[in-house]
Amino acid sequence: MLVNLIKKELLIELRSKQILVSMAAFGLSVVLIFAFSFSVSQSILETFAPGLFWVLILFTSVLGLHRLFDYEKEFDAFSLVIGAPVDRGTIYISKWISGWIYLVVAEIIIIPLFVLFLQLRWTQPILPGIGILFLGNSGIMAIGALISGLAMRARMSEVLLPVLLFPLVTPVLIAVTKATTAYLNAQPFILWQFWVLILASFTVIFGLLGYLLFDHVTEE
């Protein structure tokens, strides 16, 4: 059932392309703003690049999170989804995974442009960087999918979503920025494994909370 729900999410997006196009276009716009508005030395830019990148990813993810439940709001289709004979926690997991996939696809477009336009040097092995990226995405989407479901039925959900999301996701953003900075500076893993553990902890905690509480979140 989980596979079918994820497939449904991906097929809808494949037909409309609303989420991925908006996320990629927004990411590209912010990268261009960063590239043409900063007039600092390259060393300073490289120092702040991890923070800039993850702030960019956070704002980009908000677009995807808002659209995660937006399809079901039309004609009150979400009532039909939660009325189906499927565990509501599974619906949350499907939203979490599909949102994670959207974010990864958008990052495939954004990251090369971010590195190119900001003229950053990337000399470290790529696999640890991919691990940090995937874990950071998981933490953001675990929290975001829960908050998006909570804000879905609100009259001004597009305003309520970032208001609720940003405070909760701040520890994740700090941890992933610290881990990214240490990784790019070639520090030994033992010096920054603490931040990876925080990322993993938040991902697991909010993943479990979302699975357990989504039944109550979806109630009117």
Side-chain angles (χ1 to χ4, degrees), residues 22-69:
S22 61
M23 291 173 71
F26 177 81
L28 175 58
S29 301
V30 176
V31 168
L32 292 175
I33 292 172
F34 286 167
F36 291 107
S37 62
F38 293 150
S39 56
V40 296
S41 65
Q42 192 62 27
S43 60
I44 295 177
L45 188 59
E46 290 178 354
T47 300
F48 289 99
L52 293 174
F53 172 76
W54 282 108
V55 169
L56 166 61
I57 295 304
L58 176 61
F59 287 139
T60 302
S61 68
V62 171
L63 294 176
L65 288 168
H66 176 65
R67 293 292 297 171
L68 272 182
F69 291 91

Side-chain angles (χ1 to χ4, degrees), residues 68-167:
L68 272 182
F69 291 91
D70 199 52
Y71 295 121
E72 282 89 354
K73 288 178 65 175
E74 298 179 4
F75 307 108
D76 199 26
F78 191 69
S79 298
L80 301 177
V81 174
I82 63 177
V86 58
D87 181 36
R88 294 183 183 181
T90 305
I91 299 175
Y92 163 77
I93 297 295
S94 69
K95 295 290 186 179
W96 177 11
I97 294 176
S98 58
W100 184 89
I101 294 173
Y102 299 150
L103 190 55
V104 169
V105 173
E107 286 169 342
I108 292 174
I109 301 171
I110 293 171
I111 291 176
L113 298 174
F114 185 84
V115 174
L116 176 64
F117 282 106
L118 270 65
Q119 300 178 1
L120 302 175
R121 293 172 293 179
W122 191 342
T123 59
Q124 305 306 318
I126 194 170
L127 287 180
I130 292 176
I132 295 172
L133 186 72
F134 284 1
L135 194 55
N137 292 348
S138 298
I140 292 173
M141 282 298 167
I143 301 172
L146 178 60
I147 299 302
S148 181
L150 183 64
M152 173 189 59
R153 298 183 186 275
R155 182 174 300 176
M156 299 181 64
S157 59
E158 64 277 2
V159 177
L160 185 60
L161 174 60
V163 170
L164 296 176
L165 176 65
F166 289 168

Side-chain angles (χ1 to χ4, degrees), residues 148-207:
S148 181
L150 183 64
M152 173 189 59
R153 298 183 186 275
R155 182 174 300 176
M156 299 181 64
S157 59
E158 64 277 2
V159 177
L160 185 60
L161 174 60
V163 170
L164 296 176
L165 176 65
F166 289 168
L168 290 175
V169 84
T170 297
V172 171
L173 206 65
I174 293 173
V176 76
T177 300
K178 292 287 188 179
T180 304
T181 302
Y183 156 71
L184 293 176
N185 291 333
Q187 295 181 12
F189 176 69
I190 194 172
L191 297 180
W192 49 279
Q193 64 179 351
F194 171 74
W195 301 111
V196 175
L197 292 175
I198 289 181
L199 276 175
S201 299
F202 266 81
T203 301
V204 172
I205 290 171
F206 275 92

